[in-house]
Each structure stands twice: as structure tokens, then as C-alpha cells.
């Protein structure tokens, strides 16, 4: 396969994204704020917003996201069962879990510390005079005890139906261990799950190949509705969050990867492109799981026995990008409301933001709900969220890309440490492995 066609999925997604941004910007300029543009066509008037933005593109974008989400529960369940029962020594599970969770918590704490330091240095909220016009309901941060008990499903089908990732992970791990212990019957059922896994991974690749169209639709609707007027006072806040997000993705992760594995961080970043684009356009680590699993196993060379566990776990408990937004937002809101935060308050922010990320799923906008918990914890007005909501959607997209990059980096580190890693796949120059639909099996 030549390089050009090999690069095609990433390239096609980028083209879809840019085309969507351009078309959305044109619609934004053409359409009145709360109305439609009617073009008289003889017998009837043709409504541009009604037909394209709220019709065609809305349908296309939502079907794309929904079909990615459709894959998540069966994919995580099946691949995790395959992963667990292929681990010859199931006692290794504890060590793998410990390593992954330790790294996830460590990277989140680093992320939020850098964010708070940057925000204190640049003071994005000084001199800003704004009033919050949006009210936001606070939810209390769940206690660690609640989070741990809540990981165990009383009814696995309820967990599937609700897409409760931690409960699905626990059930799949237990089921996988039981398969490994069940002798001949276990071997038969393991074989069946491997076949299921093969089939569902094909479905992942098919849907991934539809991404350019889905991304085009999503970007068109987003940029038609995006109001740039909200940026005014928030531009410094926006730039600080963006800068720390980029710093974390392009500096912190490469350094950790190099230090812990000796692998080439440039190769890692390059191979993350497609998955980062998925995360950026869906703003959901959860919906990106199929692509993250595909990249970590087929392009980065981590064995499915590790990736099937660490990827869905990371999508749920590891949100470094979100923590960065929370760090900067807390300082920003404190400055706007003229509240002085003490060192203890900042430590509180770090702990609450890290713990809040454990119990919340990676879906669009969830970062703001977590921020409400953090603000309440240090006594800042939760209405402060109303100040930053206007620019949050774009930041959500970038921070989700950072979140999944973090999940993948930790997956590589754990895979390498456990010897479940194929360095030749990681080093191979074909960074599109796993993106292509293989039609060989189709008969005429
Ligand atoms: N959208 C983010 C994610 O799915 C969470 C957030 O920051 O709102 O990872």
C-alpha cells in the first residue's frame, strides 16, 4: 500500500473537518441569529437552516456519534473478556490495575498543578468585569467509598443499558477470570468471544471509515451556531487553557513516555492523529473508545489483554485535559469574584478534581459538572461557571483529544512494563494499520 492511500483516513477526516468549518462559517454569516433564510422556489420557500443545519447535517452528525456510542458497550465487554482470559496468570490483573490507576492519577495531578501555576502566573481573571447570567446546579462530589461500592453492578444488564463503564469493566473482568478457570468449557467460550471480537473490530473499522462525513456534518452545525461574541473577556482564559493543554500533550506526555519506556515520543504523537481527531470532533472520550482501542493495539503495538482494560478505564477515570480546564477556571473565577485562595484551597482543588474525574464518564461537557463540585469544595460561587460556558465547547473538543492521548500513553507504558507490547508495530512507519476495511473476505 503506498503512503498516499495509506494516509487516507486521517487526511479524509481533516478534509471533512475543514470543509465543515468553512461551510458552517458561511452559514453563520448568511443566516440571521434566530431565524431562517427563506429562498423562494416557485411553489414553496426553501428554508436553509431548517433543511441543512437543523435537518441534513444535524441528522448526519448525530447518527455518527450515536453509532460510535452503539459500539462502546459491546466492544468494551467483549474485548475485555478476551483480554482477561488470555492473561495466563490472572493474578497479574491486580498489578496491571495498580500501575494503570497510579499513572492515571499521577498524570491528572501533574496536569492540574501545571494549570493552576500557569493561571496564577498569567492571571486571566484580573481586571475582568463580568456577571454570570447562567445558573448552574451543583452536584456533590461522590465520596471515595461511594465510588468504590458503585463500581460493582447489582445487575450487569442494568450496567450495560446505562453504559456504566466501571461496572461493565468489573463484570467483564470477573467473567473473564471465570472463563480462564473453567477448563474445557472456558476454552470453548473463550474461542467464541474471540470470534465476536474479530467481528466487532471489523464493525469499528467500517464505522471509522464513515468518520469524514460524520465529522463534516458535526463541524458544519457547530460552526453555524458558534458565537464568537462570547470570546470578548474570555480570550486570555481561553488562550491559557489552550496553551496548557498543548503543553501537556506535546511536552508532559512525551517526557513521561520517554522516561518510562525509552520509546520515541514523536512516533507516538504521530500515530495518535486519527484518534485525536475523533476525540476532537465528538468531544467524548467514551465515544472515542473504539478508535483509541484500534490505535493502541494496531498502531502502537500494545496487546489487547492490556489495552482492552486500560483504555475504557482511562476514558472513565483519566481526564487530564478536563483537569487542566478546571485548574485554570478555578483561578479565573476566584480572580473575577475577588476571592483569595490559600495553598490549602489549591490542594483541595487538586484532590477534588482528581477524584471527581474517577466517578464521571467521558462525555461532552461533563467537565463543567465536575467543575461545579470543585468550586463548591473551595467555597467559590458555582454561578462562576456561567462566565466560561460560552467558550467551553471548543475547549471541550481540545481537552478530549488530550484526555485520550493520556489514556493511550499510559496504555503503552503499562503494556511495555508487562511485556505485552510489540515494538516492531510501534516503530513501523505505516501509521494507518487498522484503519482500512479489508474486503478480502467478501465473496462476489
Ligand atoms: N468531553 C470530555 C471527555 O469526554 C470531558 C469533559 O472535559 O467535559 O473526555
Amino acid at each position: 500500500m503506498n503512503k498516499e492511500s495509506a494516509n487516507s483516513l486521517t487526511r479524509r477526516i481533516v478534509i471533512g473537518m475543514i470543509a465543515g468549518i468553512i461551510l458552517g462559517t458561511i452559514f453563520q454569516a448568511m443566516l440571521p441569529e434566530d431565524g431562517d433564510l427563506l429562498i423562494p422556489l416557485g411553489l414553496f420557500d426553501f428554508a436553509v437552516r431548517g433543511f441543512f443545519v437543523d435537518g441534513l447535517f444535524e441528522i448526519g452528525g448525530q447518527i455518527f456519534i450515536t453509532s460510535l456510542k452503539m459500539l462502546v458497550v459491546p466492544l468494551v465487554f467483549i474485548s475485555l473478556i478476551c483480554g482477561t482470559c488470555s492473561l495466563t496468570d490472572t493474578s497479574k490483573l491486580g498489578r496491571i490495575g495498580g500501575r494503570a490507576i497510579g499513572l492515571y492519577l499521577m498524570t491528572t495531578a501533574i496536569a492540574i498543578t501545571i494549570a493552576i501555576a500557569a493561571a496564577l502566573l498569567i492571571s486571566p481573571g484580573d481586571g475582568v468585569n463580568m456577571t454570570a447570567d447562567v445558573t448552574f446546579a451543583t452536584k456533590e462530589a461522590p465520596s471515595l467509598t461511594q465510588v468504590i461500592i458503585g463500581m460493582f453492578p447489582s445487575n450487569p444488564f442494568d450496567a450495560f443499558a446505562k453504559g456504566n463503564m466501571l461496572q461493565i469493566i468489573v463484570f467483564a473482568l470477573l467473567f473473564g477470570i471465570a472463563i480462564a478457570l473453567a477448563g474445557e468449557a472456558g476454552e470453548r467460550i473463550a474461542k467464541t468471544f474471540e470470534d465476536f471480537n474479530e467481528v466487532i473490530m471489523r464493525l469499528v473499522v467500517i464505522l471509522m471509515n464513515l468518520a469524514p462525513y460524520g465529522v463534516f456534518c458535526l463541524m458544519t452545525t457547530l460552526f453555524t451556531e458558534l458565537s464568537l461574541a462570547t470570546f470578548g473577556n474570555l480570550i486570555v482564559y481561553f488562550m491559557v487553557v489552550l496553551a496548557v493543554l498543548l503543553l501537556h500533550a506535546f511536552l508532559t506526555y512525551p517526557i513521561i513516555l520517554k522516561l518510562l519506556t525509552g520509546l520515541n515520543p514523536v512516533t507516538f504523537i504521530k500515530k495518535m492523529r486519527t484518534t485525536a481527531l475523533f476525540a476532537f470532533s465528538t468531544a467524548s472520550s467514551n465515544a472515542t473508545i473504539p478508535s483509541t482501542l484500534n490505535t493502541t493495539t494496531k498502531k502502537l503495538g500494545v496487546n489487547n489483554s492490556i489495552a482492552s482494560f486500560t483504555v475504557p478505564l482511562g476514558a472513565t477515570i483519566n481526564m487530564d485535559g478536563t483537569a487542566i480546564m478546571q485548574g485554570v477556571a478555578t483561578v479565573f473565577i476566584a480572580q473575577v469574584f475577588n476571592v483569595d485562595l490559600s495553598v490549602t484551597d489549591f490542594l483541595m482543588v487538586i484532590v477534588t478534581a482528581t477524584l471527581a474525574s474517577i466517578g464521571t464518564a467521558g462525555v461532552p461537557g461533563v467537565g463543567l459538572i465536575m467543575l461545579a463540585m470543585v468550586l463548591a469544595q473551595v467555597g467559590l460561587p458555582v454561578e462562576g461557571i456561567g462566565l466560561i460556558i460560552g467558550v467551553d465547547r471548543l475547549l471541550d473538543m481540545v481537552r478530549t483529544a488530550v484526555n485520550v492521548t493520556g489514556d493511550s500513553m499510559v496504555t503503552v507504558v503499562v503494556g511495555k512494563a508487562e511485556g505485552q507490547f510489540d515494538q516492531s508495530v510501534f516503530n513501523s512507519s505505516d501509521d494507518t494499520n487498522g484503519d482500512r476495511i479489508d474486503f478480502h473476505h467478501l465473496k462476489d
Side-chain angles (χ1 to χ4, degrees):
M1 163 121 349
N2 65 32
K3 187 89 187 158
E4 217 194 333
S5 56
N7 264 329
S8 62
L9 181 61
T10 314
R11 219 185 45 219
R12 283 189 295 132
I13 297 179
V14 172
I15 293 173
M17 184 178 280
I18 294 175
I21 293 175
I22 294 175
L23 188 62
T25 314
I26 294 174
F27 278 152
Q28 160 103 243
M30 264 171 55
L31 293 168
E33 212 170 293
D34 302 308
D36 213 331
L37 182 67
L38 299 177
I39 303 175
L41 282 183
L43 288 177
F44 63 95
D45 287 344
F46 179 77
V48 176
R49 186 191 294 274
F51 183 77
F52 286 118
V53 186
D54 297 341
L56 214 57
F57 296 131
E58 175 73 13
I59 295 173
Q62 289 311 318
I63 290 182
F64 170 60
I65 298 218
T66 310
S67 41
L68 281 177
K69 287 197 206 148
M70 164 188 88
L71 287 178
V72 171
V73 170
L75 176 66
V76 168
F77 182 61
I78 293 169
S79 68
L80 192 47
I81 285 184
C82 291
T84 321
C85 56
S86 69
L87 274 182
T88 38
D89 177 4
T90 40
S91 65
K92 275 192 196 154
L93 266 177
R95 200 180 56 213
I96 298 171
R99 275 193 165 129
I101 293 172
L103 283 166
Y104 282 147
L105 295 183
M106 183 191 86
T107 50
T108 307
I110 295 178
I112 191 163
T113 311
I114 301 177
I116 291 176
L120 287 174
L121 202 75
I122 300 171
S123 300
D126 275 0
V128 172
N129 209 340
M130 291 173 86
T131 40
D133 48 4
V134 182
T135 46
F136 209 86
T138 337
K139 265 212 231 157
E140 256 192 43
S143 71
L144 197 55
T145 334
Q146 278 169 324
V147 172
I148 295 173
I149 296 175
M151 281 166 54
F152 290 80
S154 58
N155 176 353
F157 292 100
D158 185 55
F160 291 151
K162 297 203 172 107
N164 185 324
M165 210 46 72
L166 291 181
Q167 294 190 348
I168 296 173
I169 291 175
V170 168
F171 182 63
L173 286 178
L174 294 174
F175 203 82
I177 292 174
I179 291 178
L181 297 175
E184 246 178 61
E187 273 166 31
R188 281 196 302 271
I189 200 148
K191 184 86 206 62
T192 309
F193 270 103
E194 267 155 32
D195 291 347
F196 269 131
N197 201 29
E198 194 58 36
V199 174
I200 195 131
M201 281 315 278
R202 287 292 144 90
L203 192 52
V204 168
V205 179
I206 294 173
L207 290 181
M208 275 178 34
N209 275 274
L210 296 178
Y213 310 102
V215 168
F216 169 69
C217 293
L218 285 176
M219 290 300 120
T220 309
T221 33
L222 182 70
F223 277 80
T224 308
E225 309 300 349
L226 200 70
S227 158
L228 292 178
T230 49
F231 273 68
N233 271 314
L234 293 169
I235 192 77
V236 184
Y237 162 78
F238 183 87
M239 293 314 270
V240 175
V241 179
L242 191 64
V244 181
L245 286 172
L246 296 177
L247 186 88
H248 200 62
F250 293 107
L251 206 69
T252 314
Y253 290 149
I255 292 177
I256 298 180
L257 185 76
K258 186 80 195 161
L259 285 179
L260 296 183
T261 64
L263 294 167
N264 184 350
V266 180
T267 312
F268 169 77
I269 295 282
K270 261 195 188 160
K271 294 194 170 189
M272 279 308 299
R273 279 182 308 202
T274 318
T275 298
L277 284 172
F278 263 87
F280 182 81
S281 30
T282 58
S284 167
S285 317
N286 261 22
T288 310
I289 288 177
S291 172
T292 319
L293 258 181
N294 199 44
T295 296
T296 45
T297 54
K298 306 244 171 69
K299 297 183 193 176
L300 295 171
V302 182
N303 193 302
N304 182 51
S305 61
I306 302 292
S308 62
F309 175 48
T310 54
V311 167
L313 186 68
T316 317
I317 73 167
N318 184 49
M319 296 185 199
D320 297 355
T322 309
I324 288 170
M325 176 278 284
Q326 291 174 336
V328 180
T330 311
V331 175
F332 175 78
I333 292 168
Q335 286 168 347
V336 174
F337 286 93
N338 272 323
V339 179
D340 275 329
L341 294 178
S342 64
V343 176
T344 332
D345 289 331
F346 285 124
L347 285 178
M348 229 16 179
V349 172
I350 297 176
V351 174
T352 320
T354 312
L355 287 183
S357 69
I358 297 182
T360 22
V363 292
V366 78
L368 290 183
I369 299 172
M370 288 152 63
L371 180 61
M373 300 177 190
V374 174
L375 295 179
Q377 195 71 32
V378 288
L380 281 171
V382 176
E383 305 83 67
I385 292 179
L387 301 178
I388 53 166
I389 229 166
V391 294
D392 196 66
R393 175 66 201 191
L394 273 184
L395 289 177
D396 194 2
M397 295 159 73
V398 184
R399 66 182 184 245
T400 309
V402 174
N403 290 346
V404 300
T405 308
D407 302 341
S408 307
M409 192 275 291
V410 169
T411 299
V412 173
V413 173
V414 177
K416 179 111 195 309
E418 290 293 330
Q420 301 287 331
F421 174 72
D422 185 342
Q423 190 144 351
S424 61
V425 175
F426 183 92
N427 288 336
S428 106
S429 58
D430 178 7
D431 67 353
T432 60
N433 193 15
D435 285 349
R436 297 179 292 265
I437 305 179
D438 179 2
F439 286 106
H440 286 140
H441 298 296
L442 288 186
K443 305 249 171 356
D444 291 339

